[in-house]
Amino acid sequence: MTEPLKPIVLGAADARGGASDGRPDEDLLAGLNPPQRDAVTHRGPALLIIAGAGSGKTSVLTRRIASLLRTHEAYPSQILAITFTNKAAGEMRERVQQLIGDSAQGMWISTFHSACVRILRREAQQFGFTKSFTIYDSGDSRALIKRLVKQHEGDAFGFTPAAVQGRISKLKNELADAESYARQANMSDPAERVFVEIFADYQRSLQKANAFDFDDLIAQTVYLFRAFPHVADVYRKRFRHILVDEYQDTNHAQYALIHELTRPVVGKAGDAFSSGGMMIFEPDEAPETEGASLTVVGDSDQSIYAFRGADIRNISEFERDFPGAKVVLLEQNYRSTQNILSAANAVIGHNFDRKDKKLWTDVGDGDPIIGFTGYSQHDEAQFVADEVDALRRKGVDYAQMAVFYRTNSQSRALEEIFIRAAVPYKIMGGTKFYERAEIKDALAYLVAVANPADEMAVRRILNKPRRGIGDVTETTIARYAADEGITFRDALANGSALGVGPRIQQAIAQLDAVLVEASEIMLPSSGEIAPSTSVTEGLNVLLGKSGYLDALRMSKDPQDEARVENLDELVAVTREFARNNPEGTLLDFLTEVTLVSDADDLDDASGSVSLMTMHTAKGLEYDAVFVTGVEEDLIPHRISAGEPGGPQEERRLFYVALTRARKRLFLSLAMTRAQFGEVSAAMPSRFLQEIPHHLIDWRQSPGDVNSRGGMQSRALNARRGGSGGGSRFGGGGRYGDDLVPLPPRDRPAGSIEKFANRIPAKIRDNGDLELAAGDRIRHDDFGEGKVDMVTGEGAKRVAHVRFDTAGPKKLLIKVAPITKL
DNA sequence: GAGCCCTTCACGAGC
DNA sequence: TGAAGGGCTC
């Protein structure tokens, strides 16, 4: 991200060797099947690789790049490869380097957002920004929108910040701005007028703050290319080979960006163009008039980001958009067993709007898929923990196991049990490090230095730590800045002119002094470039001399201790950054921190089980995968029912989850799930019915938990030692035996009803069963045991029981299958 | 301006 | 269940 475009100094003679005589890239094709070979070697203006899950697409993409370089068809600097996450970018770079060595230096392999930041930093001056612009993450932009909604009294029209943010984001992904939207909106509707005002004001505020939000990074780059063709030409000449991974998840703005980059160059060939102080030289004989060659890889069955504007048509209409495109279909799967693939194929086959495609493998059926129905989410979690343990004992690394769920909130129950079961785990997502208040505060300090125009950042730190600067003073400063025509930040330097009390004046002066001092360290006024270690130094000054750390250390709040530790961690991150980026600047650091995602933090070597949402799971693979919460209202999610294409997208999401598994796949659900602190009944997901029954080996099926009679699964359950309930009445046959299969089409309401008669009208209720420490009880699954203690109250009373054979368990008294002896 | 308590609302996925 | 925001008092 930090290295500038480097002039190319390759000898012209060997620059463009042919790809023929004895193929210099022959070794790159080793082990590839015929379609894969095609995908690597085809040359032409456009190539679409439809890559089913696990069909070796990363391998194909990296070999294609390596082949282009090896045959001298392209210089590294002429290659732009777009991946979905920074982590994927890093991996791809590494793999290309493994294939061809250091000559891979100079390629751009990055996400859309990172690539656009690089371009924008170079070109920002062209349209009213400076290169030190900041990037607003969704939290920042939410905060700004919140202020604007209030200001424009948007709540009177029912506007919530979240809704406004969502609408603006959607519009930006469609490349609409406030003016163009206003032109086609019904402006006689006062609500529409207010929305347009907020939108326009939001955009003005961003511009004034010298900031872009996530969506702007893409949209403004497109705007830049369209408004300044000579700027676009620089990049069109530079990038001769553009490769885009996960093409099915591109939105319209990203599509437009690719379109702009692959246009033929209009300017004359071979000229060097100076841009942002950086010279870009082109090889002399490059055929400049043609558009860049475009390779996209995708799988419409794995499109799961429609909610953020991904347009599946980008891939389905690729051949129309890029005439002469070659299409290669990769269907052979090298990842999963046939059982897993058959299940995945069966599920995705229920989507009607897709081209038929069947994954297959030659590795054999493998183990059956294991199904489990827990009584509660804790029961389900216990099952997962038990199986994880069993796999570990069979020699499977923790790092090779993953647990997926639909919503982040589901991770709690899993965590609880994992901690108790001493299973090492790592959560991707959830409350993210960079979203913590203290981290955002610290970053706001850095932003205030890096981009003083960013008023949001300066306002944020104004009274952190408490300096006695409240709303009134803040408004006074803002008004003063407006009157004098200076920025909010500069107003701080004139504290004495504000007409506020001496105490507050002093507080403002002190804040100003700290910012100035840190600025001298990280952005010396002498103009020399500060070393990358200056970020650490500057951050320490900011946190130390502002009194921020002292305030936390002196606080009585026990949480503040953890906050200090988090800040230490952030300082450690800056050190790490300096090590990895010897030429990195403060801006580079802030960019990196803003654009990292949770998936990027993934550390496969950490030796722990990975917990993540199904969305995060995309692009990853594990030997053993647990898909949890396979219930109606979770997957498909309740909210998706009301969205066009919602259930279809949910099915694709489930498909993505299934196809992450290499050898073992576990599907689990719970019959009751607590939300908002209340327990409600859950129903098995309709997707479960879509899997042929013989593929799933139910350890405990929904029928077991709900129907009558039989001992079989109870015995199974007891032997396994699940906790918290399990099958009350046991239950004989397999899940599928008494189910009516659905016709192979979406039947949202009907399928639920089919299951509904499997669900008891109400959950077992032990009512006012009184238990106390010392009581002996009998549990349907665990046998007899002694109550150690009872915690909680009313319906939430929990018995801590030491079972004679099954060991210690916690049971929710109200619903557990127990009797007092 | 700060601290406290109360009510309310949310739990859909992310660069 | 938990966080966040509003309103009250000092």
Side-chain angles (χ1 to χ4, degrees), chain A residues 4 28 31 46 52 76 99 115 191 231 278 304 404 417 513 596 598 615 633 646 652 671 707 711 717 750 757:
Chain A
L28 296 173
L99 289 171
V231 175
M278 261 162 278
I304 54 174
F404 303 156
I417 302 288
V596 292
D598 293 315
H615 281 90
D633 290 352
R652 289 193 294 269
M671 296 311 291
S707 62
M711 300 287 289
N717 191 36
N757 58 13

Side-chain angles (χ1 to χ4, degrees), chain A residues 185-206:
Chain A
N186 173 16
M187 294 301 278
S188 58
D189 178 351
E192 281 289 84
R193 274 209 305 276
V194 170
F195 172 74
V196 168
E197 274 169 30
I198 295 175
F199 188 2
D201 209 358
Y202 172 66
Q203 215 49 38
R204 272 195 299 274
S205 305
L206 283 174

Side-chain angles (χ1 to χ4, degrees), chain A residues 608-771:
Chain A
S608 30
V609 179
S610 300
L611 273 59
M612 69 190 82
T613 66
M614 298 184 192
H615 281 90
T616 307
K618 191 174 78 158
L620 305 176
E621 56 179 87
Y622 296 89
D623 281 346
V625 163
F626 295 83
V627 181
T628 65
V630 189
E631 296 153 28
E632 282 295 307
D633 290 352
L634 272 178
I635 177 84
H637 195 272
R638 172 172 44 88
I639 297 171
S640 74
E643 291 170 358
Q648 308 266 336
E649 173 146 322
E650 296 285 308
R651 188 175 280 109
R652 289 193 294 269
L653 181 57
F654 188 60
Y655 172 78
V656 166
L658 299 186
T659 51
R660 302 304 96 198
R662 288 198 201 103
K663 299 176 184 147
R664 305 295 303 267
L665 177 61
F666 299 83
L667 304 177
S668 63
L669 60 150
M671 296 311 291
T672 64
R673 199 161 282 275
Q675 50 178 11
F676 302 108
E678 282 182 14
V679 179
S680 57
M683 287 176 285
S685 167
R686 68 190 73 167
F687 299 152
L688 274 180
Q689 279 185 313
E690 297 170 358
I691 299 175
H693 301 138
H694 69 272
L695 294 176
I696 306 184
D697 181 4
W698 284 97
R699 296 286 172 77
Q700 182 164 282
S701 80
D704 295 337
V705 179
N706 293 292
S707 62
R708 65 273 81 128
M711 300 287 289
Q712 186 183 3
S713 84
R714 184 204 303 174
L716 275 171
N717 191 36
R719 197 167 57 240
R720 261 196 28 264
S723 90
S727 73
R728 232 169 333 133
F729 304 108
R734 293 258 169 104
Y735 179 52
D737 291 354
D738 47 7
L739 277 177
V740 184
L742 286 175
R745 283 284 175 262
D746 247 359
R747 287 200 33 205
S751 58
I752 298 174
E753 282 155 22
K754 284 296 184 310
F755 274 114
N757 58 13
R758 306 264 151 254
I759 313 286
K762 67 180 188 133
I763 307 307
R764 176 188 178 112
D765 191 348
N766 289 325
D768 45 8
L769 176 64
E770 289 293 340
L771 286 180

Side-chain angles (χ1 to χ4, degrees), chain A residues 26 109 160 183 294 309 398 470 490-491 527 622 769 780 782 796:
Chain A
E26 189 57 45
I109 304 188
T160 63
R183 274 197 295 278
L294 174 65
Y398 284 130
D490 286 336
Y622 296 89
L769 176 64
D780 282 5
F782 304 141
K796 311 245 168 65

